[in-house]
Amino acid sequence: MTCTTDQPGVQIYSGNFLNGAFTGLTGRTYRQGDAFTLETQHYPDSPNQPSFPSTVLRPGQVYATKTTYGFGVA
């Protein structure tokens, strides 16, 4: 898998909070480690760190970003 983005950071979320109590639409129970997601974004503490890229969006400005995920075999 490849991930190309114009964002400076990425957050990784996992299903580690899942405990087997949630059942999906197909009737399958979701367990810890069954899923993860990658969310490209600015650094979480950007508003408090002057040296980080700015997260300020002024009135009239447009927010646009691009992230591409690629999947292949070696």
Side-chain angles (χ1 to χ4, degrees):
M1 179 180 144
T2 60
C3 176
T4 306
T5 184
D6 55 5
Q7 294 297 292
V10 62
Q11 290 288 328
I12 300 173
Y13 297 99
S14 69
N16 287 342
F17 64 91
L18 297 171
N19 62 7
F22 180 75
T23 303
L25 296 175
T26 63
R28 183 174 182 277
T29 300
Y30 295 107
R31 302 164 300 147
Q32 282 187 338
D34 276 355
F36 75 95
T37 185
L38 301 172
E39 180 181 313
T40 59
Q41 58 181 241
H42 278 267
Y43 304 129
D45 200 28
S46 286
N48 302 311
Q49 302 296 331
S51 63
F52 287 5
S54 176
T55 56
V56 174
L57 187 65
R58 304 263 181 235
Q61 289 181 320
V62 174
Y63 176 77
T65 183
K66 183 175 182 178
T67 299
T68 305
Y69 297 97
F71 298 89
V73 294

